[in-house]
Amino acid sequence: MTPIQARFQSLHQQGRTALIPFITAGDPDLGTTRAALQALDQEGADLIELGIPYADPLADGPVIQAASTRALRAGTQLPGILQMLAGMRLQAPVIIFSYYNPIYQLGIPKFMGEVRWAGGSGVVIPDVPLEESPELREQAQGQGLDWIALVAPTSSPARMQAIAAQSSGFIYLVSTTGVTGQRQVLGSRIPGLLGQLRQYTDLPIGVGFGISNPEQARQVADWGADGVIVGSACVQHLAEGGVGALAAFCRRLRQGLDRREV
């Protein structure tokens, strides 16, 4: 059992929903990223997504695009990110979120091996379609990493079934069409998409894109998600208020998911 699988199993037994915050590595520098990871780990994150900065992040909205730009301008590179992560001891499993180009530049086997060496537990690669993923999946799973695939709201039932069959750890359900970013109202299709996807898999389902506050996180949990992924809002809190603001926001998200006063 992988660390991600074990975490979801434990949460299921407790009747709790996974909190999965996202931050961009190197925004504004790796020292801040290290402190942010520690804060998220201490404030209730069950898993953490760590984004590799990329110059053309097609799935990301302006907040995360700006974070990638800041990180790249600071000279952040993949080897330094993994070196930083390797020196940490976190309770929450870390998922590496990367576009394909940095992986291609390093080489797929080397990338997966170094993610494992650094202590990563899974990978999300949003710009590689299912048909082009066999080598990536095999190399990830050969290193004991979970391959976390994305299901879009436009995916057909057959497509959902095919993606679910090749996924491990959990499935990332994109809540709405378009790019990442905070939204005032969540997509009304989420409950139906969750129900449809559960026809094809027993894997946990994490919902992301657009979740901006504790109330929305709780709503997604009430709709039946096993995990709630919060990206742009975390990145914005870190950018505007530093690690302290991010830690406080994570604490509020955790309290919201646990139905405590927020």
Side-chain angles (χ1 to χ4, degrees):
M1 184 177 293
T2 68
I4 292 172
Q5 293 164 2
R7 180 56 55 94
F8 272 107
Q9 182 182 80
S10 175
L11 289 166
H12 179 73
Q13 291 170 349
Q14 299 171 49
R16 299 174 71 221
T17 303
L19 172 58
I20 311 173
F22 168 100
I23 59 171
T24 299
D27 175 32
D29 53 60
L30 287 177
T32 301
T33 300
R34 181 184 179 89
L37 289 170
Q38 290 172 329
L40 292 172
D41 197 45
Q42 293 166 3
E43 294 295 347
D46 296 296
L47 301 96
I48 302 172
E49 274 193 270
L50 183 62
I52 306 301
Y54 183 52
D56 189 21
L58 297 178
D60 291 311
V63 171
I64 296 178
Q65 286 185 20
S68 282
T69 298
R70 290 190 295 267
L72 292 171
R73 285 178 177 169
T76 305
Q77 296 183 344
L78 181 57
I81 296 169
L82 297 176
Q83 184 74 42
M84 173 210 67
L85 185 60
M88 301 189 70
R89 294 294 179 267
L90 301 171
Q91 295 298 312
V94 174
I95 301 158
I96 298 297
F97 183 107
S98 178
Y99 290 87
Y100 178 64
N101 188 263
I103 300 170
Y104 174 77
Q105 295 295 328
L106 189 63
I108 295 171
K110 186 173 183 182
F111 172 82
M112 298 300 179
E114 293 199 2
V115 168
R116 179 63 174 175
W117 165 79
S121 297
V123 292
V124 176
I125 306 172
D127 59 343
V128 175
L130 181 67
E131 293 77 9
E132 298 176 18
S133 68
E135 183 182 1
L136 287 155
R137 286 190 280 110
E138 291 167 8
Q139 291 291 335
Q141 292 166 357
Q143 292 290 341
L145 301 171
D146 280 311
W147 173 263
I148 300 158
L150 288 86
V151 169
T154 54
S155 298
S156 68
R159 187 73 173 173
M160 284 187 176
Q161 190 169 12
I163 293 170
Q166 300 299 332
S167 303
S168 65
F170 70 96
I171 295 174
Y172 192 134
L173 175 60
V174 177
S175 69
T176 184
T177 55
V179 297
T180 60
Q182 302 176 67
R183 290 171 172 82
Q184 295 298 315
V185 179
L186 295 176
S188 61
R189 295 183 60 196
I190 295 173
L193 290 167
L194 283 164
Q196 189 175 19
L197 187 51
R198 290 203 190 281
Q199 298 177 42
Y200 310 120
T201 184
D202 293 326
L203 286 173
I205 302 171
V207 175
F209 284 44
I211 300 168
S212 305
N213 56 55
E215 293 75 21
Q216 289 179 338
R218 182 65 251 168
Q219 179 67 78
V220 172
D222 286 342
W223 281 336
D226 301 290
V228 175
I229 303 159
V230 185
S232 294
C234 287
V235 171
Q236 186 167 343
H237 275 82
L238 179 60
E240 294 180 354
V243 173
L246 174 64
F249 180 58
C250 183
R251 190 182 315 123
R252 293 196 300 274
L253 289 170
R254 178 76 271 163
Q255 290 169 344
L257 285 176
D258 291 342
R259 294 185 182 275
R260 294 196 295 269
E261 183 67 34
V262 298

